[in-house]
């Protein structure tokens, strides 16, 4: 996460369980983002989650949740989100206070077993599926070279897997989510291991050859409806790499372009304006935070912990993921959880069914207003009509057994 004139990232040591605490240093603070104000405050950190491959009304298409992330990043000091929110195929938007965190890593972060360590730059390695045709492979290598020459991205080396990965994708008939598998995960892991050993890369972009879709199968998606049938297995691929190597990873599918249609939904258009989906993944990985695993043999300063998170933003029916549940069950510095009614998915994990207390809002406009109030130390309900009632009176029993009534502020 970059440091600007008005913000610096929070510094807090993330020590293994067996390591004795080191003498603390003076905490870094950030100053209010105003040319006229020099008041200092603690950074405000928010997490935005839109699960992958669940047909989210916002975030279920080609980077259509990116405008939400852009708006939210202008309100918070640090925004943590995942590739499904930030990736838009050929399009992306650089935001210095946004951390690009793969979904499996985000779950481990929420559980408190991993920390996030912001970096200035990663060495990115590129893995290409042996099953990609020569011409399509060349297209992807040209994209990598273009990002190196035109954007200065540190994509240092590529490797082709020793066998085709053989991607399979389908929609789970029970949940309605897209999912899938690769038949040769061993080939992918060998390729990543080679890049890590030979070139010391610390971030990985994977391009796997996906089966070409029939036009009828993606008709609804191209019209802004239905489910992204690629997204589920893309998550399977990146989860595999992150779980094995504990480094940032993102995936881009390799496919032949679909036939041109004039009536394409804008939400799906980003995936149809080029030969590859790779540029956004390379841009995100170049500055993605590193993952620090608890009980590791080293300690790092400048990391972000789950207890640093102030608020979570979720679709209303997508509260059952590992990360969402971990934040909801947190016992230390429990964050404010905000659920958005307008962003519906095929899931049915609502707060009431899970026993989770959330602030329910109609849309992302309201969500960003709630977060702005929360950051300012204001009860969000005080911004609504007739939402603040009279202060309540409570009672307690002291050690001597006599009940003492507290004095109400009303006289």
């Amino acid at each position: 996460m970059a440091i600007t004139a008005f913000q610096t990232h929070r510094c807090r040591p993330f020590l293994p369980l067996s390591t004795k605490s080191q003498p603390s240093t003076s905490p870094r603070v950030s100053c209010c983002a105003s040319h006229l104000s020099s008041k200092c405050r603690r950074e405000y950190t928010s997490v935005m989650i839109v699960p992958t491959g669940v047909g989210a009304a916002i975030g279920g298409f080609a980077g259509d949740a990116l405008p939400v992330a852009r708006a939210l990043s202008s309100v918070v000091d640090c925004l943590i989100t995942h590739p499904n929110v930030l990736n838009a195929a050929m399009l992306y938007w650089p935001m210095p206070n946004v951390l690009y965190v793969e979904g499996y890593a985000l779950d481990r972060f929420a559980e408190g077993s991993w920390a996030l360590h912001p970096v200035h730059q990663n060495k990115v390695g590129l893995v290409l599926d042996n099953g990609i045709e020569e011409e399509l492979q060349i297209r992807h290598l040209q994209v990598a070279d273009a990002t190196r020459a035109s954007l200065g991205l540190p994509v240092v080396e590529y490797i082709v897997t020793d066998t085709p990965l053989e991607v399979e994708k389908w929609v789970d008939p029970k949940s309605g989510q897209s999912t899938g598998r690769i038949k040769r995960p061993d080939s992918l892991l060998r390729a990543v291991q080679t890049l890590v050993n030979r070139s010391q890369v610390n971030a990985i972009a994977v391009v796997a050859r996906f089966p070409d879709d029939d036009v009828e199968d993606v008709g609804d998606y191209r019209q802004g409806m239905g489910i992204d049938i690629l997204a589920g297995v893309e998550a399977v691929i990146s989860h595999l790499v992150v779980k094995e190597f504990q480094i940032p990873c993102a995936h881009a599918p390799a496919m032949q372009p679909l036939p041109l249609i004039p009536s394409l939904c804008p939400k799906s258009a980003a995936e149809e304006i080029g030969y590859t989906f790779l540029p956004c993944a390379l841009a995100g990985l170049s500055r993605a935070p590193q993952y620090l695993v608890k009980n590791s043999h080293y300690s790092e300063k400048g990391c972000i912990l789950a207890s640093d998170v102030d608020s979570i933003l979720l679709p209303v029916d997508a509260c059952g993921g590992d990360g969402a549940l971990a934040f909801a069950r947190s016992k230390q510095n429990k964050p404010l959880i905000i659920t958005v009614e307008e962003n519906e998915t095929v899931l049915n994990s609502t707060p009431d069914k899970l026993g989770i207390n959330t602030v329910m809002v109609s849309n992302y406009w309201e969500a960003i207003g709630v977060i702005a109030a929360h950051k300012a130390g204001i009860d969000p309900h005080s911004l609504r009509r007739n939402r603040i009632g009279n202060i309540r009176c409570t009672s307690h029993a002291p050690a001597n057994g006599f009940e003492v009534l507290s004095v109400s502020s009303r006289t």
Side-chain angles (χ1 to χ4, degrees), residues 36 61 130 291 341:
L36 302 177
F61 298 87
N130 187 281
Y291 311 138
E341 291 182 305

Side-chain angles (χ1 to χ4, degrees), residues 92-94 100 147 151 153 155 278-288:
Y92 56 92
W93 193 268
Y100 182 93
T147 62
L151 302 179
L153 298 189
V155 185
L278 185 57
C280 60
L282 294 177
L285 289 170
S286 68
R287 298 288 299 274

Side-chain angles (χ1 to χ4, degrees), residues 66 69 81-88 91-92 95 98-100 280:
L66 184 52
T81 189
H82 52 112
N84 186 56
V85 170
L86 298 176
N87 284 356
L91 306 178
Y92 56 92
M95 293 171 279
V98 176
L99 297 183
Y100 182 93
C280 60

Side-chain angles (χ1 to χ4, degrees), residues 32 34 43 49 51 74 184 203 217 271 313 324 382 384 403-404:
C32 296
S34 166
E43 279 195 345
I49 299 174
S74 71
R184 295 303 304 271
D217 293 340
E271 293 182 351
L313 192 54
S382 67
R384 299 289 303 278
E403 184 178 33
V404 177

